[in-house]
């Protein structure tokens, strides 16, 4: 019987795949000015539903039903 050479792929360390970052805007609602947690931002009451998160019994399209939006504060 012949000895098989070890698979060169299995003996080398493989590079670990880098985690893929989600696009920041995938978490944004139409009323948000920036992603939640962005420095220089804060939560504000949604002007469309007035903080209730609902309009006519449906989730508010501006805040996604949360009642708050993210706004830039301060600025130049």
């Amino acid at each position: 019987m012949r000895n098989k050479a070890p698979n060169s792929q299995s003996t080398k360390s493989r590079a670990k795949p880098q985690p893929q970052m989600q696009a920041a805007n995938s978490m944004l609602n139409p009323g948000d000015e920036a992603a939640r947690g962005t420095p220089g931002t804060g939560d504000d009451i949604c002007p469309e539903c007035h903080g209730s998160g609902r309009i006519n019994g449906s989730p508010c399209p501006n805040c996604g039903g949360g009642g708050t939006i993210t706004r830039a504060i301060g600025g130049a």
Side-chain angles (χ1 to χ4, degrees), residues 1-3 13 17 19 27 33 42 61 66 69:
M1 241 164 85
R2 290 172 82 180
N3 289 336
S13 63
M27 303 288 291
E33 295 177 356
I69 58 171

Side-chain angles (χ1 to χ4, degrees), residues 7-57:
N7 183 350
S8 62
Q9 289 289 332
S10 63
T11 58
K12 291 182 181 178
S13 63
R14 294 182 185 174
K16 293 181 181 178
Q18 296 295 320
Q20 293 182 352
M21 294 180 63
Q22 288 184 337
N25 63 2
S26 67
M27 303 288 291
L28 294 179
N29 289 308
D32 291 334
E33 295 177 356
R36 187 170 298 254
T38 301
T41 64
D43 288 341
D44 195 6
I45 294 173
C46 175
E48 302 293 319
C49 67
H50 307 286
S52 71
R54 302 192 73 73
I55 297 178
N56 296 326

Side-chain angles (χ1 to χ4, degrees), residues 52-75:
S52 71
R54 302 192 73 73
I55 297 178
N56 296 326
S58 297
C60 175
N62 193 51
C63 65
T68 60
I69 58 171
T70 302
R71 294 234 173 156
I73 53 176

